[in-house]
Amino acid sequence: MTDLHLQRLGGRLGYQFTNEELLDLALTHRSHGSRNNERLEFLGDSILGFTISAALFEKFPEGREGQMSRLRAQLVSGETLAKVARELELGDCLRLGEGEMKSGGHRRASILADAVEAIIGAIYLDSGLEAARERVLAWFAARLQNLSLETAKDPKTRLQEWLQARHKPLPEYKVVEVAGEEHSQQFIVECRVSGLAAPVKGVASNRRAAEKSAAAEAYAQLTGQS
């Protein structure tokens, strides 16, 4: 990337690297070569998990271990990390192998999620733990603010309970498409719910996760939280 691209990306990240080679490495997928972001991803995953765990511990002094574990799982899921990556516009900055570029790897949720974790690891190596924690908390601030212990419930359970309380039919889930190669499939699931004019879709790397994603979106639309 050019210096201008690096500066613009740094602006979106809210962080300018002293060692720009670390950022370059964090954006390099394994398909590009042996020098890639997998080790940084491993490091960033640990920092992300610790930071989110500490934030939940402080936010919910009455929260039970199980509730906070489920909230953490939601926040650090590949789906959420991919959304963060899209908000930061990381896709166009990724360095991919030719095959991944042709197959749209810059839009693939798993690749985007890995890049976010790698950047967290890179910030840690560049400036230390506090800088990495500060960026994680900034990127997740709105999501943390909107959490409640109620959202610790499985999205499908939450949607079902909401509908049952109003004597409405239970939601119907249907896989409408399975895209991608076998090792990187994407399941697209439709959720039909009484009260919504059109089906809601969820996309994830397996059917169960796609159903949860669709249920979460349906619940958000029904309750005006979308």
Side-chain angles (χ1 to χ4, degrees):
M1 287 189 293
T2 66
D3 289 345
L4 180 59
H5 281 116
L6 286 172
Q7 289 178 6
R8 287 176 175 172
L9 177 56
R12 297 194 297 274
L13 295 174
Y15 180 85
Q16 296 293 337
F17 278 82
T18 301
N19 181 358
E20 292 180 349
E21 290 184 2
L22 285 169
L23 175 58
D24 184 67
L25 184 60
L27 296 168
T28 303
H29 185 252
R30 64 177 177 271
S31 63
H32 193 272
S34 58
R35 183 180 177 276
N36 58 60
N37 64 8
E38 286 187 326
R39 283 171 54 83
L40 287 175
E41 175 198 339
F42 166 79
L43 185 59
D45 175 68
S46 298
I47 296 167
L48 173 65
F50 164 74
T51 301
I52 294 299
S53 294
L56 292 172
F57 186 85
E58 293 178 8
K59 181 177 176 64
F60 300 112
E62 304 301 323
R64 297 189 300 274
E65 186 272 341
Q67 291 174 311
M68 292 191 293
S69 291
R70 286 190 289 273
L71 288 174
R72 180 181 60 192
Q74 291 176 24
L75 288 173
V76 305
S77 69
E79 180 185 357
T80 300
L81 290 176
K83 289 179 180 178
V84 171
R86 294 185 186 103
E87 291 163 6
L88 297 172
E89 299 177 33
L90 293 186
D92 293 336
C93 301
L94 296 175
R95 299 180 66 189
L96 306 171
E98 185 176 350
E100 283 291 356
M101 288 181 64
K102 289 181 177 179
S103 65
H106 63 287
R107 295 188 299 270
R108 186 164 297 132
S110 60
I111 292 177
L112 290 169
D114 291 347
V116 172
E117 292 181 334
I119 288 174
I120 295 168
I123 293 174
Y124 166 74
L125 293 178
D126 196 54
S127 291
L129 181 59
E130 190 53 39
R133 288 182 66 253
E134 190 273 333
R135 283 298 82 204
V136 169
L137 293 174
W139 300 339
F140 284 80
R143 291 176 172 88
L144 284 165
Q145 183 177 354
N146 292 332
L147 282 183
S148 69
L149 292 177
E150 176 67 18
T151 61
K153 291 182 179 179
D154 177 282
K156 293 177 67 175
T157 300
R158 192 165 64 246
L159 175 61
Q160 180 173 316
E161 289 179 352
W162 191 92
L163 291 168
Q164 287 177 326
R166 290 156 181 80
H167 307 290
K168 293 180 178 292
L170 296 181
E172 297 179 3
Y173 300 94
K174 179 182 179 182
V175 177
V176 294
E177 185 179 350
V178 181
E181 300 179 7
E182 186 174 350
H183 68 281
S184 59
Q185 288 184 330
Q186 292 287 297
F187 287 74
I188 302 175
V189 169
E190 276 189 355
C191 175
R192 294 181 176 272
V193 180
S194 174
L196 295 181
V200 175
K201 291 184 178 180
V203 182
S205 58
N206 61 71
R207 177 175 180 165
R208 182 178 176 83
E211 289 179 351
K212 288 183 178 181
S213 175
E217 178 60 26
Y219 180 84
Q221 290 189 23
L222 287 167
T223 59
Q225 297 174 14
S226 59

